[in-house]
Each structure stands twice: as structure tokens, then as C-alpha cells.
């Protein structure tokens, strides 16, 4: 038997989660092995892109310069405003992602991700989305994050939020270090739907009883693969699709939509720019050693 959790969520003036109490045992519920929920991360569970905040944390630790970070933010903004997420761009993102992981040790990335989550990401968790995830947990359902970010970052976020686990972009690891080669493709667009289908087959989930949450039209394949798609803080295209399909819409923003654009959020852009800046920093550190 699973136990539900009583979570006390506090929010700042913009409705962002700033913390929650330790889990407490309450009335036992029967696990529902056939139902689950899948949550996109960037601008769905969290304001902005997780890879951007990870890069911010690395910059604060002198892994690269503030000018690199500014270039990172501008490139993400360019992707967002110009809608440049086309196959060629995703190919470039995949190639750039190799620079981000090459030579790093997995335990170092996980340690840094934990520190940076606590410092920069936790205050930017959308309280409303967090409560939606908690409802699924309270109903005895499992909850996975599905993100284009490296799966190690997704796992840290899921663990910190008390969720079941995370699906993300996977990098090849040999002897505890990243080789610079990805296993499969970036977890983006149709790849997310494919991953959900594979997980459902392994876990015995009934997709018709599952739900998916996202802010982006890029995730329409994942939202369409389950029985209930929910648009959270949706972009314009997804909002139109949600209305046409009769999907539920949840918007936890405070009306300052410019914030959503100003804070980098595009998966491809995050991987491209984050990979470039982190890769440059790694090269500088190697030259200095």
C-alpha cells in the first residue's frame, strides 16, 4: 500500500513555489498501476528552462563567464522569438550537446544539479503545477517528468519534488564519465511520445488512463498519446489546439507573459547554447590545468 503525502507549499508574490514541508504520512491509498501522469519541465513545471538555470549555477561557480551566459540567453531568446526549431536546428542541437557532456563525470553533474536545484530552480517551480502532480501521487498514480534536458538533471528535479522519476536526453557513459556521444536522439517532440509509449509498455500503463501536461506545441505528440492532455502556461499554438480539442487549460502565470519569453525556455536553444558555453568553459579549464 502506498501512502499519500501532505505537502505544504509556500509561494512568493508571483505564485512561484519557494518551499514545501517534509512529507507526512496520511490515509493510505491503493496504488493505481495502470494510470500515470507525464509532465514537461520547462515552463510547465518550472519557470524558464532547467538547462538555463543549470548554466547559471555553473557560471556562479566560475565554469564559464557572465558574457558566455549572456550569449546563452540571447541565443535561446532568438530561438523562441524566431521559431527556429526545425530539423536542421535539432541536428545542430544534438551535435552541440556532445560538447556539453564530453569529459564530465556523472557524479559531478549530479552533485552540481542538486546544489543548483536548491539554489536556483526550487524557487521557480510553479506552485500550481506542483499541486497538479501531487494530486496524481495522492491518487496512487506514478508521475514522471519528461524533458529534453539531460536525464541526470531531470532525475534530480524529480527526486527533489518527490516524483516517480524522469525521462530525458541520455548521454553515453564509460567508466563513470560522459563520452560525448548521445544514446538515441534528443528527448524532444515526437521522441517524448515514443518514450512515453515505451515506458507504458514496460510499466503496464493504460495510456487511455494517463495524463500529460505541457506548455508547448512541440509536445503535441506526447499530449495526444495519452487519454488526457492538459495545456499548462500554453504558448499560442498549443492554446489554439487545446481549445479545438477540448483539452483542459491551466495558466499559473501572473499575466506577465514577457517573463516567459525573457527567461530562456526552448529545449533546442537550451541544449545548443548551454552546450556551447559549457563546452567552451571546459576547454578553458583544461588549458589552464
Amino acid at each position: 500500500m502506498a501512502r499519500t503525502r501532505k505537502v505544504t507549499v509556500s509561494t512568493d508574490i508571483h505564485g512561484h513555489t519557494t518551499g514545501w514541508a517534509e512529507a507526512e504520512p496520511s490515509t493510505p491509498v491503493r496504488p493505481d498501476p495502470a494510470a500515470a501522469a507525464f509532465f514537461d519541465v520547462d515552463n510547465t513545471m518550472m519557470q524558464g528552462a532547467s538547462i538555463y538555470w543549470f548554466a547559471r549555477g555553473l557560471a556562479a561557480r566560475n565554469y564559464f563567464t557572465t558574457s558566455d551566459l549572456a550569449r546563452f540567453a540571447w541565443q535561446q531568446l532568438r530561438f523562441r522569438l524566431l521559431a527556429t526549431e526545425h530539423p536542421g536546428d535539432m541536428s545542430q542541437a544534438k551535435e552541440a550537446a556532445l560538447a556539453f557532456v564530453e569529459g564530465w563525470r556523472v557524479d559531478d553533474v549530479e552533485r552540481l544539479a542538486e546544489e543548483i536545484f536548491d539554489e536556483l530552480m526550487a524557487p521557480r517551480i510553479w506552485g500550481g503545477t506542483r499541486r497538479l502532480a501531487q494530486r496524481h501521487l495522492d491518487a496512487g498514480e506514478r508521475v514522471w517528468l519528461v524533458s529534453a534536458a539531460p536525464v541526470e538533471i531531470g532525475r534530480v528535479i524529480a527526486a527533489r519534488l518527490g516524483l516517480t522519476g524522469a525521462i530525458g536526453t541520455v548521454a553515453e557513459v564509460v567508466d563513470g564519465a560522459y563520452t560525448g556521444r548521445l544514446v538515441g536522439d534528443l528527448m524532444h517532440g515526437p521522441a517524448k511520445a515514443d518514450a512515453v509509449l515505451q515506458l507504458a509498455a514496460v510499466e503496464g500503463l493504460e495510456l487511455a488512463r494517463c495524463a500529460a501536461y505541457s506548455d508547448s506545441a512541440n509536445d503535441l505528440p506526447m499530449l495526444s498519446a495519452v487519454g488526457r492532455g492538459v495545456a499548462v502556461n500554453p504558448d499560442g499554438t498549443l492554446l489554439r489546439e487545446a481549445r479545438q480539442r477540448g483539452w483542459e487549460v491551466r495558466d499559473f502565470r501572473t499575466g506577465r507573459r514577457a517573463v516567459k519569453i525573457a527567461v530562456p525556455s526552448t529545449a533546442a536553444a537550451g541544449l545548443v547554447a548551454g552546450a556551447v558555453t559549457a563546452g567552451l568553459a571546459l576547454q578553458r579549464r583544461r588549458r589552464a590545468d
Side-chain angles (χ1 to χ4, degrees), residues 63-162:
Y63 280 85
F64 52 89
T65 68
T66 53
S67 61
D68 288 330
L69 185 62
R71 189 180 309 112
F72 177 9
W74 165 247
Q75 288 179 354
Q76 291 193 77
L77 180 60
R78 178 177 177 274
F79 271 79
R80 185 75 181 184
L81 296 179
L82 299 181
T84 57
E85 289 191 82
H86 301 305
D89 297 318
M90 293 309 297
S91 176
Q92 182 185 11
K94 181 173 180 177
E95 292 177 3
L98 304 181
F100 172 62
V101 298
E102 184 177 7
W104 289 65
R105 294 197 61 80
V106 176
D107 52 1
D108 287 336
V109 170
E110 292 175 341
R111 173 182 55 80
L112 287 166
E114 289 173 352
E115 294 177 5
I116 294 169
F117 176 86
D118 295 338
E119 294 172 10
L120 298 176
M121 299 183 193
R124 293 170 174 84
I125 297 295
W126 294 109
T129 310
R130 178 68 186 89
R131 288 189 288 274
L132 291 175
Q134 188 62 44
R135 290 179 187 175
H136 288 281
L137 295 173
D138 291 343
E141 301 174 10
R142 288 166 288 178
V143 177
W144 278 277
L145 298 178
V146 187
S147 174
V151 68
E152 289 80 9
I153 295 177
R155 286 172 182 163
V156 167
I157 299 173
R160 284 295 200 261
L161 299 181

Side-chain angles (χ1 to χ4, degrees), residues 130-237:
R130 178 68 186 89
R131 288 189 288 274
L132 291 175
Q134 188 62 44
R135 290 179 187 175
H136 288 281
L137 295 173
D138 291 343
E141 301 174 10
R142 288 166 288 178
V143 177
W144 278 277
L145 298 178
V146 187
S147 174
V151 68
E152 289 80 9
I153 295 177
R155 286 172 182 163
V156 167
I157 299 173
R160 284 295 200 261
L161 299 181
L163 308 180
T164 306
I167 300 170
T169 298
V170 178
E172 183 182 65
V173 176
V174 175
D175 296 329
Y178 297 108
T179 66
R181 293 184 293 272
L182 294 185
V183 178
D185 293 320
L186 294 174
M187 191 56 60
H188 177 79
K192 286 188 177 183
D194 291 342
V196 167
L197 292 172
Q198 293 175 24
L199 182 64
V202 172
E203 298 290 334
L205 301 173
E206 296 178 17
L207 288 175
R209 300 185 57 205
C210 294
Y213 300 77
S214 178
D215 74 298
S216 174
N218 292 319
D219 288 337
L220 279 169
M222 179 177 74
L223 294 169
S224 302
V226 297
R228 184 165 70 94
V230 182
V232 177
N233 306 328
D235 60 29
T237 302

